[in-house]
Amino acid sequence: MDEPNVQDDSRKFTRESAEYRREALILATLDLIAEMGVRGATVREIAARANVTQGLIRHYFSSKDELVQAAYEHHMNTLTDQTAASSGEGTALSRLSNFVDASLRPPIVDPSAVALWAGFLNKVQHDPKMQRIHQRTYNYFRDHLETLIVAALRECGRSVEASEAMQLAIACNAVIDGLWLEGGALPDAFAEGQLAQIGLESVSAIIGIPLKKEVEQP
Amino acid sequence: MDEPNVQDDSRKFTRESAEYRREALILATLDLIAEMGVRGATVREIAARANVTQGLIRHYFSSKDELVQAAYEHHMNTLTDQTAASSGEGTALSRLSNFVDASLRPPIVDPSAVALWAGFLNKVQHDPKMQRIHQRTYNYFRDHLETLIVAALRECGRSVEASEAMQLAIACNAVIDGLWLEGGALPDAFAEGQLAQIGLESVSAIIGIPLKKEVEQP
DNA sequence: GGAATTATTATACACTTGCATAATTGCGAG
DNA sequence: CTCGCAATTATGCAAGTGTATAATAATTCC
């Protein structure tokens, strides 16, 4: 995030690759939106936090709106990538457990993550393009969860119809989202691991299968 | 919400009670925060929507921040009042069912309600006073739900320890919040009544008691 | 190594924002 | 009826907003 070329000689600035600058601007934007909302994230602050002057934003993005859109897309892609990684290996049951557990601990459960989500909501509700990104990500999560649930049930010798599976996925997704929300909005109201534990028990109850938290190897 | 005195003669304005003006300003503020966020709700727009000029805001509130705080408090109080009303009569089981059901239908589930919540979040996270209001309301909801759950369990001849009851309440609260969130953020993704149905089934599963939706009398 | 390219900075502008202060004007008290 | 007070409007201001345009300077290509 800092300048990679530490040449503090009389150079007034350093040229960086377009990719580097775009990402720096996007990350600064996400930071600021989490802190102050979209309107509070001014182009001047964004530029300052990305160590450039404000004019450069217009060089990479045709408007602030476009930068915000790009930031949203970047953020959502990061989210889905993280998720995909969290439930990679093992039996279906353990993959589901790990997924729930990981979704209810830092860095997923985090005040600024919730703030970021809230900051974007207005834009999402008004801009059709952002709406599509939102819907796509939501569906991705829910389908992922549904796949895990169906696999876990099958592993226990049970099978469900498609519509029932979808309802289970919606419900489990809601528990996770609700706990995520509350953990991020009231960080001090829950003990460490409490959210994950409650999440696991609730998902267990909803799908009717006991899930155990993975034992950590120290 | 409109002017009560319809005297469109040459009067330039009408004097109203302090209470009336305060409430009009607060409601206009809530409307605008839901639409554009706190920063987007400018004093000029608020005044216009309350049918006054912007100077009057300073006459009733010492700053925009104070107006926003008052609006938040007003909103939260309205919320808790509505909740208390939704689960008034009947057996414990039916009161719990009604509470869950009412929490997952309009007007509670509503895009602007979620937008309002999101709009306030930044302020809540930064301003200790608003944080207290938030915490108080959250606790109120959770305790209310916990009371309903414990009563319903007792009605079925079961009893739970305090810590277990709290966990059940947190979990049920999370399902409700998560479904509320998703219903408000993606209004077209769910059929009418679907959220309420999923909510009832999930709460049933979590606490281990079958809940039936009340039959409506047409 | 010099010139072209273009990433980057610098400056300017029209507009909005919250707030302060002064000027009105409706309305009740006497 | 009119006088005084406070509710309300009118006006102004300094700071901040996004964006447009011109000026500079770092890097590349030959």
Side-chain angles (χ1 to χ4, degrees):
Chain A
M1 196 88 67
D2 284 343
E3 50 260 278
N5 300 349
V6 192
Q7 14 183 245
D8 255 4
D9 32 38
S10 58
R11 288 239 177 64
K12 286 205 169 177
F13 58 87
T14 318
R15 291 191 172 196
E16 301 290 349
S17 72
E19 201 181 337
Y20 173 84
R21 281 273 132 92
R22 279 182 63 93
E23 175 146 357
L25 286 170
I26 284 177
L27 293 181
T29 304
L30 290 174
D31 258 28
L32 280 166
I33 289 179
E35 251 179 67
M36 343 245 305
V38 170
R39 282 185 205 245
T42 68
V43 292
R44 283 168 176 80
E45 279 263 356
I46 293 171
R49 206 165 284 205
N51 289 114
V52 295
T53 52
Q54 53 154 328
L56 198 62
I57 289 182
R58 281 272 299 166
H59 193 257
Y60 286 103
F61 302 92
S62 70
S63 70
K64 179 187 170 180
D65 258 23
E66 201 192 283
L67 168 56
V68 171
Q69 266 180 18
Y72 187 59
E73 192 144 22
H74 179 99
H75 172 61
M76 293 308 238
N77 288 339
T78 305
L79 271 190
T80 53
D81 288 355
Q82 280 181 347
T83 304
S86 87
S87 58
E89 306 273 316
T91 66
L93 240 71
S94 76
R95 270 159 49 213
L96 178 57
S97 297
N98 285 339
F99 177 79
V100 175
D101 189 74
S103 302
L104 292 173
R105 291 181 183 280
I108 306 288
V109 169
D110 177 71
S112 28
V114 177
L116 190 55
W117 186 91
F120 272 122
L121 184 69
N122 272 298
K123 284 268 170 193
V124 171
Q125 287 190 334
H126 288 75
D127 184 338
K129 191 173 174 183
M130 300 194 76
Q131 221 157 344
R132 274 197 303 277
I133 301 177
H134 177 67
Q135 178 104 37
R136 169 161 57 80
T137 309
Y138 175 76
N139 287 339
Y140 173 86
F141 270 101
R142 203 174 74 186
D143 291 350
H144 187 72
L145 193 51
E146 185 174 330
T147 304
L148 290 176
I149 290 173
V150 170
L153 286 170
R154 181 165 306 150
E155 215 171 63
C156 297
R158 291 171 42 192
S159 72
V160 287
E161 293 179 12
S163 71
E164 195 187 345
M166 191 179 89
Q167 294 214 350
L168 292 177
I170 293 175
C172 293
N173 198 34
V175 193
I176 295 170
D177 278 3
L179 290 171
W180 171 82
L181 196 73
E182 284 150 21
L186 291 171
D188 302 323
F190 304 95
E192 184 184 322
Q194 189 181 10
L195 290 175
Q197 183 211 332
I198 296 179
L200 282 168
E201 287 174 6
S202 305
V203 170
S204 299
I206 291 174
I207 66 176
I209 293 179
L211 293 178
K212 287 180 200 160
K213 185 181 166 306
E214 292 288 288
V215 188
E216 323 221 347
Q217 59 271 31
Chain B
M1 197 88 66
D2 283 344
E3 50 260 277
N5 300 347
V6 192
Q7 16 183 244
D8 257 4
D9 32 39
S10 57
R11 290 241 179 61
K12 287 205 168 176
F13 59 87
T14 319
R15 290 192 172 196
E16 302 288 350
S17 72
E19 201 181 337
Y20 173 84
R21 281 275 132 92
R22 278 183 64 92
E23 173 147 357
L25 285 170
I26 284 177
L27 293 181
T29 304
L30 290 174
D31 258 29
L32 280 166
I33 289 179
E35 253 179 64
M36 343 244 306
V38 170
R39 281 183 139 93
T42 68
V43 291
R44 284 167 176 82
E45 280 262 356
I46 292 171
R49 207 167 284 203
N51 289 114
V52 295
T53 51
Q54 55 153 327
L56 199 60
I57 289 183
R58 279 274 298 166
H59 193 258
Y60 286 102
F61 303 92
S62 72
S63 70
K64 179 186 169 181
D65 258 22
E66 201 192 283
L67 168 56
V68 171
Q69 266 181 18
Y72 187 59
E73 192 144 23
H74 179 99
H75 173 62
M76 294 308 238
N77 288 340
T78 305
L79 272 190
T80 52
D81 289 354
Q82 281 181 349
T83 303
S86 87
S87 57
E89 307 272 317
T91 66
L93 240 73
S94 76
R95 270 159 49 214
L96 178 57
S97 297
N98 285 339
F99 177 79
V100 175
D101 188 75
S103 302
L104 293 173
R105 292 184 182 278
I108 306 289
V109 169
D110 177 71
S112 27
V114 177
L116 190 56
W117 185 91
F120 273 123
L121 184 68
N122 271 298
K123 285 265 168 195
V124 171
Q125 288 191 332
H126 288 73
D127 183 341
K129 192 173 175 184
M130 300 193 78
Q131 221 159 342
R132 275 197 303 277
I133 302 177
H134 177 68
Q135 177 105 36
R136 170 160 57 79
T137 309
Y138 175 76
N139 287 338
Y140 173 86
F141 269 101
R142 203 174 74 185
D143 291 350
H144 187 72
L145 193 52
E146 184 174 331
T147 305
L148 290 176
I149 290 173
V150 170
L153 285 171
R154 180 166 305 151
E155 217 172 61
C156 297
R158 292 171 42 192
S159 72
V160 288
E161 292 179 12
S163 71
E164 193 187 347
M166 190 180 89
Q167 293 214 350
L168 292 177
I170 293 176
C172 292
N173 199 34
V175 193
I176 294 171
D177 278 3
L179 290 170
W180 171 81
L181 195 74
E182 283 149 23
L186 290 171
D188 303 324
F190 303 96
E192 183 184 323
Q194 188 181 10
L195 290 176
Q197 184 212 330
I198 295 179
L200 282 168
E201 287 175 6
S202 306
V203 170
S204 300
I206 291 174
I207 67 177
I209 293 179
L211 293 177
K212 287 181 202 163
K213 184 182 167 306
E214 292 287 288
V215 189
E216 322 221 347
Q217 59 272 28

